[in-house]
């Protein structure tokens, strides 16, 4: 009871104080009427002020009655002063419009062209209390990035994993994608991935986002499940005046010589009485491309059948000492059409000077139509290899018998599918919220509904197989290749019917978020501008996956590949090299036209049931934090967050029943429903210090605690058997969340000419990180016939550490003479070193030779840009070093994501004040996606995408 009385008194005291004071709220916009985030609004005589939010709004509360001068300052813009009069118990509204400033160097007036976006980003970054990196929409537009993932990779400490040539999964400071959070306007973005929490960054077009904020040291009022960092995407909001922006472009993918089409329209305005604002946006992109792919698996074991049997009639196998060689080799040809659409409507309404409500919506819809043609070779089992079937030269197997498969992947013949596998991905978010002043208490709230889904219906595969002897090309292990020893063996008539299948997949995740925050003045140390902030959040998530799989026996109709229509897909311009000629496959038109009725097929339960699940996860959180000035230059933010997680899961486990004639038991497959529950709480304190050495030089230090929740399906005690790959995937209901204690120190210097020099160190002490333990099934206890299968099971490791360094430099070179002063540079570098303990090999022994997975030791971004009044151009580079991606049963089997260097170029020319023309060239160096096994020389996968060129027009109209 005493605690409750004290709590109400804390709220009441500042409200009583309001009786002799008032409030000031307003907006800050630029010369085009666009809101400016991160602007300083300060009443110098009172040492009271506020920082504008992403909508350019600020509020200064508890201002004594009187007349004062407000100063607005913004990096790269001229200061602005305005006199105001504060009345008792009243909130006054005042709007500011500021202009870019010019500087004089050695008597010469210098103008900064094209730096408004950089100015917005740096001002936000400078005024934030925590350690962040910010990229604005104007900066995004200066790089040739079609989706938001490609834009995020320009930020220090960020690495992106690539899928089909586009940046998809975000790695922050070396932490896996599922260990980072992605939010839209502060609300979690759901994931359509079936087996993890990764958010598909390539689903959201770059031109739908106003700015990107990456928080590397989270504050107590933010979700704590951001172990590496939190990426917040802020959508465009209504302008101060009328705005029309449109883009129309086209281009070509050089790998397919197919066209690219893209366009966007943005329209917004505010009513004359300044109460109602709106912004509508639509974006579309049609990209017809593909990829050239080669994959391999390596082994250092070779056995053959001696032709002699033991006492039990089993063949005696002889092992031969060999050097590592490729035992599985694939060549793949992908043909993809990706259509990306996005719609957004954002509304806000000022009920009065103290109360504003808003609605923010976004709907993203992407269709991926894909055909894939796969030529697969796998060495025969040892008992099927006889003494005369192989050749070993200098310890290297150079010829041996393989099983060969030619597989076509497609979809049904319909208007939407077009004989291709159609992957329909959607992400939608609807947020309703408000900002209020209750006396001198700031209140903000939001409730949101978000949904992500992925649907793949009528996905079809047709496979024909054969056996013959191949020659193993051992000249260059970076370019592995098998070739048929006798060309006649590769005739289509020798490829016999293997299978025709059709599967349907659907994954859905729904999020409901509710939060409310209260902030009131609290000046503990008498330095002014102190606050107390507290709030609560509830997040209610549900996720399900529903798949099925049918197999059709059409062997009598199509006994060999020669009995079906085929297409030749060999390409002398195959990007991995002209030596890779893939050959002929069953036509996608024939596959799509097949009348595959489920009633005529066999439902293969063990192919899909273990992957189906239904999960509900509820997170309740509360926090309190104080932000206080210890002196004029020194401030501290300290607080505590508590999160409680409750999870219920439902899945399937497949049980194989062996035949036992004596007991009258027939062979069968039984699907058993399994349920899991998990509940835990985390107490997460944090402290942030900020010291302003000068107005433009800042020192920061942070101690934070964060967590990462396990993937949903990992917690289900399931068992998934993948007979085709001889693999078993198990769940683990006993997984604990990964937690991390984080330390950050950062120094930043901001140039008046709009630039930044920064450097910092960070350290993470991680407990219970999750890795995939791989071992070989010793017997059939996990299922009939599974002895020798590779078993994959998530386990908690013991602990891991990450130490890193970040350096960044960006500015216009305005100190140079003549036209050279129009150049600018953008550079950042991140170094990482990590250790991991508690990872065990296939024999159960602890490994001491591993870094934490997904921690790239070196990352670099750089660009050289030129901008004058009409013309601008930029050359950009993005580099990430190789890192371990997947831990194998031993160091020979470990998989690494290889070094990648992307070079992009773009230019634009301003035809008049509103119209410009642009041109982009992506992936100039044809950088492939590449994995290697154990050592760099052993290619495990290399996938080439070629270059992409686009050209178009942009139109911008502003009316204040």
């Amino acid at each position: 009871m005493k605690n409750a009385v004290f709590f109400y008194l804390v709220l009441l005291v500042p409200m009583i104080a309001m009786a002799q004071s008032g409030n000031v709220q307003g907006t800050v916009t630029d010369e085009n009427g666009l809101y400016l985030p991160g602007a300083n609004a300060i009443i110098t005589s009172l040492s009271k002020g506020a920082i504008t939010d992403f909508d350019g709004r600020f509020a200064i509360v508890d201002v004594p009655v009187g007349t004062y001068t407000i100063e607005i300052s913004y990096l790269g813009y001229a200061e602005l002063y305005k006199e105001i009069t504060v009345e008792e118990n009243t909130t006054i509204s005042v709007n500011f419009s500021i202009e870019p400033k010019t500087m004089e160097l050695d008597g010469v007036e210098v103008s900064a062209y094209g730096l408004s976006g950089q100015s917005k980003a740096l001002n936000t970054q400078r005024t934030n209390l925590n350690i962040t990196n910010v990229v604005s929409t104007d900066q995004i537009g200066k790089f040739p990035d079609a989706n938001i993932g490609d834009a995020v990779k320009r930020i220090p400490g960020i690495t992106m994993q690539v899928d089909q040539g586009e940046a998809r999964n975000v790695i922050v400071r070396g932490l896996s994608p599922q260990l980072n959070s992605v939010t839209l306007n502060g609300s979690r973005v759901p994931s359509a991935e079936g087996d993890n929490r990764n958010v598909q960054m390539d689903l959201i077009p770059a031109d739908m986002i106003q700015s990107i904020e990456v928080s590397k040291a989270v504050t107590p009022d933010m979700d704590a499940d951001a172990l590496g960092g939190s990426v917040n995407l802020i959508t465009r909001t209504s302008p101060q005046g009328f705005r029309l922006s449109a883009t129309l472009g086209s281009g070509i993918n050089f790998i397919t010589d197919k066209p690219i089409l893209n366009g966007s329209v943005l329209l917004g305005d505010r009513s004359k009485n300044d109460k109602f604002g709106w912004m509508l946006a639509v974006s579309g992109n049609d990209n017809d491309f593909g990829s050239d792919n080669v994959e391999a698996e390596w082994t250092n074991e070779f056995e053959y059948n001696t032709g002699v049997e033991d006492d039990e009639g089993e063949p005696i196998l002889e092992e031969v000492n060999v050097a590592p060689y490729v035992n599985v080799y694939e060549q793949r040809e992908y043909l993809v059409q990706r259509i990306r659409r996005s719609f957004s409507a954002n509304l806000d309404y000022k009920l009065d000077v103290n109360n504003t409500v808003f609605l923010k919506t976004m709907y993203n819809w992407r269709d991926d139509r894909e055909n894939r043609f796969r030529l697969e070779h796998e060495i025969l089992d040892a008992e099927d290899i006889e003494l005369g079937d192989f050749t070993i030269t200098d310890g290297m197997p150079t010829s041996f018998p393989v099983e060969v498969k030619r597989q076509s992947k497609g979809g049904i013949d319909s208007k939407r599918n077009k004989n291709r596998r159609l992957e329909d991905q959607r992400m939608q978010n609807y947020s309703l919220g408000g900002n209020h002043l209750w006396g001198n208490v700031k209140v903000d709230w939001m409730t949101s509904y978000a949904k992500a889904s992925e649907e793949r219906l009528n996905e079809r595969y047709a496979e024909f197989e054969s056996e013959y002897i191949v020659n193993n090309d051992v000249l260059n292990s970076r370019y592995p290749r098998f070739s048929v020893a006798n060309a006649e063996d590769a005739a289509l008539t020798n490829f016999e019917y293997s299978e025709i299948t059709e599967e349907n997949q659907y994954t859905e995740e729904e999020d409901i978020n509710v939060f409310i925050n209260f902030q009131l003045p609290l000046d503990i140390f008498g330095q002014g501008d102190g606050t107390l902030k507290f709030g609560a959040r509830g997040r209610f998530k549900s996720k399900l996956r529903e798949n099925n799989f049918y197999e059709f026996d059409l062997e009598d109709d199509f006994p060999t590949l020669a009995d079906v229509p085929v297409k030749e897909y060999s390409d002398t311009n195959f990007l991995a090299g002209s030596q890779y000629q893939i050959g002929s496959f069953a036509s996608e038109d024939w596959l799509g036209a097949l009348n595959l009725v489920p009633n005529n097929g066999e439902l293969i339960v063990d192919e899909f049931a273990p992957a189906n699940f239904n999960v509900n996860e509820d997170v309740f959180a509360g926090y309190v934090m104080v932000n206080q000035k210890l002196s004029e230059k020194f401030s501290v933010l300290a607080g505590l967050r508590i999160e409680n997680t409750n999870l219920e899961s439902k899945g399937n486990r497949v049980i194989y029943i062996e035949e036992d004639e004596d007991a009258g038991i027939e062979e069968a497959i039984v699907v058993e429903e399994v349920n899991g529950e998990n509940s835990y709480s985390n107490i997460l304190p944090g402290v942030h210090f900020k010291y302003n050495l000068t107005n433009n030089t800042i020192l920061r230090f942070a101690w934070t605690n964060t967590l990462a929740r396990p993937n949903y399906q990992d917690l289900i005690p399931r068992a998934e058997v993948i007979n085709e790959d001889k693999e078993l995937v198990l769940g683990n209901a006993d997984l604990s969340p990964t937690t991390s204690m984080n330390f950050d120190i950062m120094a930043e210097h901001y140039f008046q000419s709009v630039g930044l020099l920064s450097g910092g160190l960070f350290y993470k002490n991680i407990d219970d990180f999750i890795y995939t333990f791989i071992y070989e099934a010793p017997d059939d206890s996990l299922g009939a016939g599974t002895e020798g299968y590779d078993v994959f099971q998530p386990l908690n490791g013991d602990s891991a550490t990450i130490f890193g360094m970040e350096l960044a430099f960006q500015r216009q070179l305005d100190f140079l003479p003549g036209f050279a002063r129009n150049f600018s540079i953008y550079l950042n570098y991140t170094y990482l070193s990590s250790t991991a303990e508690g990872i065990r090999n296939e024999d159960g022994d602890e490994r001491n030779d591993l870094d934490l997975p997904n921690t790239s030791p070196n990352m670099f971004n750089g660009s050289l840009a030129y901008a004058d009044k009409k013309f601008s151009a930029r050359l950009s580079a993005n580099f990430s070093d190789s890192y371990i991606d997947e831990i194998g049963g031993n160091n020979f089997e470990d998989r690494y994501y290889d070094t990648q260097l992307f070079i992009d170029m773009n230019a634009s020319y301003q035809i008049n004040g509103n119209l410009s023309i642009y041109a982009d060239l992506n992936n100039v160096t044809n950088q492939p996606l590449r994995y290697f096994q154990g050592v760099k020389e052993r290619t495990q996968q290399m996938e080439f995408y070629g270059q992409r060129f686009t050209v178009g027009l942009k139109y911008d109209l502003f009316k204040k």
Side-chain angles (χ1 to χ4, degrees):
M1 182 66 182
K2 291 180 179 179
N3 291 336
V5 171
F6 175 76
F7 176 75
Y8 287 116
L9 284 174
V10 169
L11 287 178
L12 187 61
V13 169
M15 292 182 183
I16 294 173
M18 180 70 183
Q20 294 82 36
S21 62
N23 301 324
V24 181
Q25 69 88 24
T27 60
V28 181
T29 58
D30 65 10
E31 70 279 15
N32 293 316
L34 300 180
Y35 294 115
L36 294 177
N40 268 303
I42 186 167
I43 303 173
T44 308
S45 59
L46 298 177
S47 295
K48 293 182 73 69
I51 307 297
T52 57
D53 60 18
F54 277 103
D55 294 328
R57 295 179 173 86
F58 70 90
I60 307 173
V61 300
D62 198 23
V63 180
V65 171
T67 300
Y68 306 97
T69 298
I70 289 188
E71 175 189 350
I72 304 296
S73 60
Y74 203 72
L75 197 67
Y77 283 73
E79 290 82 5
L80 185 63
Y81 301 88
K82 186 175 288 189
E83 190 174 273
I84 60 166
T85 298
V86 178
E87 299 178 356
E88 186 175 343
N89 295 333
T90 302
T91 298
I92 66 166
S93 180
V94 56
N95 298 324
F96 297 86
S97 178
I98 59 178
E99 300 283 336
K101 67 180 176 183
T102 58
M103 291 170 294
E104 193 170 287
L105 296 175
D106 299 327
V108 178
E109 191 175 83
V110 178
S111 297
Y113 297 106
L115 293 182
S116 62
Q118 186 171 319
S119 180
K120 293 174 185 177
L122 292 182
N123 274 283
T124 305
Q125 185 172 318
R126 181 178 68 159
T127 54
N128 278 347
L129 291 166
N130 60 327
I131 297 172
T132 58
N133 293 108
V134 181
V135 176
S136 76
T137 181
D138 299 329
Q139 285 178 295
I140 294 170
K142 295 183 186 305
F143 293 95
D145 301 325
N147 72 66
I148 206 65
D150 283 314
V152 169
K153 74 183 181 185
R154 312 288 180 184
I155 296 174
I158 301 292
T159 304
M160 299 299 298
Q161 292 180 334
V162 174
D163 178 75
Q164 286 297 346
E166 293 189 338
R168 166 167 283 201
N169 298 320
V170 60
I171 296 174
V172 182
R173 285 180 165 180
L175 273 299
S176 299
Q178 62 265 30
L179 304 182
N180 308 300
S181 71
V182 179
T183 59
L184 188 69
N185 302 313
S187 181
R188 282 299 292 262
V189 176
S191 168
E193 296 281 352
D195 55 357
N196 56 56
R197 295 176 183 260
N198 299 353
V199 174
Q200 301 92 330
M201 302 291 281
D202 57 353
L203 187 60
I204 304 173
D207 50 14
M208 300 297 285
I209 299 300
Q210 176 174 292
S211 58
I212 307 165
E213 183 179 40
V214 178
S215 295
K216 296 175 179 176
V218 299
T219 52
D221 57 344
M222 300 172 63
D223 285 338
D225 53 346
L227 199 142
S230 175
V231 180
N232 189 28
L233 310 176
I234 296 97
T235 56
R236 297 176 182 270
T237 54
S238 57
Q240 188 66 18
F242 178 80
R243 185 185 182 190
L244 170 64
S245 179
T247 301
L248 182 64
S250 184
I252 188 171
N253 285 291
F254 291 113
I255 190 171
T256 57
D257 291 332
K258 295 289 183 67
I260 302 169
L261 299 173
N262 64 277
S264 64
V265 177
L266 183 148
L267 184 65
D269 200 0
R270 181 162 291 279
S271 62
K272 290 183 179 180
N273 63 5
D274 200 39
K275 282 183 172 292
F276 178 63
W278 56 275
M279 173 71 79
L280 304 176
V282 60
S283 173
N285 181 274
D286 187 343
N287 192 3
D288 211 329
F289 62 106
S291 59
D292 294 343
N293 176 288
V294 174
E295 299 190 17
E297 293 180 23
W298 296 74
T299 184
N300 53 10
E301 298 176 353
F302 187 92
E303 290 182 316
Y304 68 92
N305 189 341
T306 61
V308 180
E309 297 181 348
D310 60 18
D311 295 337
E312 297 179 357
E314 296 293 328
I316 296 176
L317 306 180
E318 181 73 22
E319 184 174 348
V320 182
N321 291 325
V322 294
Y325 70 101
V326 173
N327 64 325
V328 178
Y329 162 74
E330 296 182 11
Q331 186 179 343
R332 303 182 180 193
E333 180 73 22
Y334 289 88
L335 298 173
V336 181
Q337 182 189 26
R338 176 167 292 175
I339 300 177
R340 186 187 288 114
R341 321 163 188 86
S342 188
F343 312 91
S344 177
N346 294 330
L347 315 173
D348 65 83
Y349 186 77
K350 294 180 182 179
L351 300 172
D352 55 43
V353 72
N354 290 322
N355 299 281
T356 301
V357 292
F358 62 83
L359 175 67
K360 296 186 176 184
T361 68
M362 176 174 279
Y363 191 97
N364 298 292
W365 177 14
R366 189 186 74 189
D367 283 346
D368 260 17
R369 297 186 179 96
E370 178 184 297
N371 288 122
R372 186 195 70 192
F373 304 95
R374 184 182 73 182
L375 174 61
E376 179 185 2
H377 309 72
E378 182 172 3
I379 192 170
L380 297 184
D381 294 334
E383 54 265 28
D384 297 321
I385 302 176
E386 298 179 354
L387 188 58
D389 292 340
F390 61 90
T391 304
I392 297 178
T393 305
D394 297 327
M396 175 67 71
T398 52
S399 69
F400 40 79
V402 295
E403 182 182 47
V404 188
K405 298 177 181 178
R406 291 189 174 273
Q407 184 189 78
S408 299
K409 173 183 178 180
I412 61 174
D413 182 11
S414 69
K415 199 169 184 178
R416 284 205 68 206
N417 294 63
K418 300 179 180 180
N419 295 315
R420 292 183 168 189
R421 184 274 288 147
L422 175 63
E423 180 182 87
D424 181 332
Q425 281 196 342
R426 307 191 188 198
M427 192 280 287
Q428 50 193 304
N429 183 288
Y430 310 95
S431 300
L432 177 67
N435 296 288
H436 311 275
L437 270 177
W438 296 350
N440 58 5
V441 178
K442 297 179 183 178
V443 181
D444 68 275
W445 60 273
M446 188 170 74
T447 179
S448 69
Y449 170 79
K451 178 181 176 180
S453 64
E454 178 181 286
E455 185 175 53
R456 294 163 61 162
L457 301 180
N458 306 112
E459 183 172 335
R460 294 181 170 184
Y461 295 85
E463 186 172 272
F464 295 82
E465 62 184 11
S466 181
E467 290 184 8
Y468 51 69
I469 294 175
V470 296
N471 294 321
N472 178 20
D473 186 348
V474 297
L475 294 178
N476 188 346
S477 60
R478 283 179 172 264
Y479 290 85
R481 187 174 70 94
F482 289 173
S483 58
V484 60
N486 184 348
E488 293 181 359
D489 291 339
L492 298 184
T493 53
N494 293 331
F495 280 84
E496 299 176 346
Y497 181 92
S498 174
E499 63 178 13
I500 291 177
T501 64
E502 180 174 283
E503 57 186 289
N504 299 283
Q505 302 179 29
Y506 182 73
T507 303
E508 173 186 285
E509 182 174 312
E510 291 183 307
D511 272 19
I512 296 175
N513 284 269
V514 181
F515 71 75
I516 187 167
N517 301 306
F518 300 88
Q519 181 177 303
L520 56 147
L522 181 65
D523 186 4
I524 298 174
F525 301 101
Q527 297 294 325
D529 273 355
T531 62
L532 167 68
K533 188 177 181 181
F534 57 92
R537 177 188 286 266
R539 189 172 80 225
F540 312 101
K541 182 189 296 288
S542 63
K543 185 156 190 166
L544 65 88
R545 183 162 65 181
E546 294 181 349
N547 299 346
N548 61 38
F549 185 97
Y550 290 88
E551 187 172 320
F552 298 86
D553 184 4
L554 303 178
E555 185 174 3
D556 292 340
D557 299 318
F558 312 107
T560 73
L561 188 55
D563 296 304
V564 305
V566 296
K567 282 187 180 180
E568 172 65 51
Y569 284 95
S570 294
D571 182 3
T572 55
N573 295 317
F574 194 82
L575 294 179
S578 59
Q579 69 272 29
Y580 295 98
Q581 299 300 299
I582 197 168
S584 296
F585 290 82
S587 160
E588 68 272 21
D589 299 328
W590 164 79
L591 180 59
L594 290 175
N595 185 24
L596 302 182
V597 180
N599 290 338
N600 295 334
E602 180 183 359
L603 186 66
I604 311 299
V605 176
D606 53 324
E607 285 283 353
F608 67 88
N612 290 348
F613 62 84
N614 196 329
V615 173
N616 293 292
E617 181 183 79
D618 297 336
V619 178
F620 300 90
Y623 75 93
V624 60
M625 70 183 195
V626 292
N627 180 15
Q628 297 292 310
K629 279 189 174 181
L630 303 178
S631 70
E632 184 180 348
K633 296 185 175 183
F634 194 27
S635 61
V636 60
L637 186 155
L640 179 72
R641 184 178 186 88
I642 299 175
E643 291 196 357
N644 174 257
T645 305
N646 297 281
L647 184 139
E648 296 179 351
S649 60
K650 182 187 297 182
N652 299 304
R653 179 167 55 209
V654 173
I655 300 173
Y656 293 85
I657 300 175
E658 293 188 54
E659 183 180 15
D660 188 337
E661 294 183 359
D662 296 334
I665 299 174
E666 296 183 356
E667 182 180 271
I669 297 175
V670 177
V671 177
E672 178 184 83
E673 183 178 288
V674 291
N675 296 279
E677 293 185 0
N678 207 351
S679 179
Y680 50 88
S681 296
N682 297 91
I683 300 175
L684 305 153
V687 178
H688 300 255
F689 292 100
K690 181 180 180 183
Y691 184 77
N692 295 322
L693 199 62
T694 68
N695 284 339
N696 292 317
T697 303
I698 300 171
L699 303 178
R700 303 178 189 267
F701 172 81
W703 169 65
T704 57
N705 289 271
T706 50
L707 64 94
R709 297 179 175 90
N711 292 325
Y712 311 110
Q713 72 169 25
D714 288 346
L715 291 165
I716 302 170
R718 67 192 187 94
E720 179 180 0
V721 181
I722 308 171
N723 288 312
E724 180 182 0
D725 299 324
K726 296 182 179 179
E727 294 177 349
L728 269 164
V729 180
L730 305 180
N732 184 353
D734 297 323
L735 284 176
S736 300
T738 302
T739 58
S740 178
M741 181 182 292
N742 317 295
F743 298 88
D744 294 82
I745 186 168
M746 181 71 70
E748 303 165 346
H749 177 73
Y750 295 85
F751 299 107
Q752 283 296 327
S753 56
V754 188
L756 168 70
L757 174 64
S758 68
L761 303 174
F762 58 90
Y763 176 81
K764 295 180 179 292
N765 189 1
I766 301 170
D767 288 322
D768 292 323
F769 68 91
I770 297 170
Y771 73 101
T772 302
F773 179 45
I774 303 175
Y775 65 97
E776 188 174 289
D779 49 41
D780 286 350
S781 59
L782 296 173
T786 60
E787 180 180 354
Y789 277 31
D790 289 330
V791 182
F792 298 79
Q793 185 175 34
L795 296 179
N796 284 112
D798 294 337
S799 63
T801 62
I802 294 178
F803 171 76
M805 173 182 68
E806 289 182 347
L807 301 172
F809 177 73
Q810 53 179 299
R811 71 163 293 172
Q812 184 180 6
L813 305 181
D814 48 20
F815 50 84
L816 295 178
F819 77 94
R821 63 167 52 99
N822 293 327
F823 282 96
S824 62
I825 57 175
Y826 176 93
L827 304 169
N828 61 70
Y829 168 74
T830 303
Y831 166 79
L832 285 179
S833 175
S834 67
T835 62
E837 298 178 358
I839 297 176
R840 289 160 178 79
N841 63 18
E842 58 191 359
D843 299 321
D845 301 324
E846 184 170 347
R847 295 184 59 180
N848 300 310
D849 57 343
L850 289 173
D851 294 333
L852 189 67
N854 293 312
T855 53
S856 175
N858 297 284
M859 290 167 279
F860 170 78
N861 277 296
S863 73
L864 175 65
Y866 175 88
D868 59 29
K869 198 170 184 178
K870 290 283 189 180
F871 176 74
S872 66
R874 184 180 296 266
L875 176 66
S876 308
N878 177 267
F879 169 84
S880 62
D881 211 343
S882 58
Y883 57 85
I884 188 167
D885 173 72
E886 185 177 283
I887 299 169
N890 51 58
N891 59 0
F892 180 81
E893 297 175 357
D894 292 339
R895 186 177 77 169
Y896 288 80
Y897 196 103
D898 199 9
T899 299
Q900 53 185 14
L901 173 64
F902 290 99
I903 304 292
D904 304 310
M905 300 171 61
N906 64 307
S908 65
Y909 181 77
Q910 198 75 31
I911 298 172
N912 57 40
N914 304 112
L915 186 63
S916 63
I917 186 171
Y918 71 90
D920 301 333
L921 180 61
N922 291 80
N923 196 18
V924 175
T925 57
N926 188 27
Q927 172 66 50
L929 165 69
R930 184 176 184 269
Y931 292 91
F932 61 86
Q933 183 177 320
V935 297
K936 267 186 179 291
E937 287 70 30
R938 297 188 201 120
T939 293
Q940 196 168 40
Q941 179 182 352
M942 53 181 178
E943 186 168 271
F944 294 84
Y945 310 105
Q947 293 83 18
R948 183 174 71 239
F949 175 75
T950 54
V951 63
L953 294 170
K954 289 184 178 180
Y955 180 81
D956 270 305
L957 176 64
F958 302 93
K959 287 185 180 180
K960 295 178 64 174

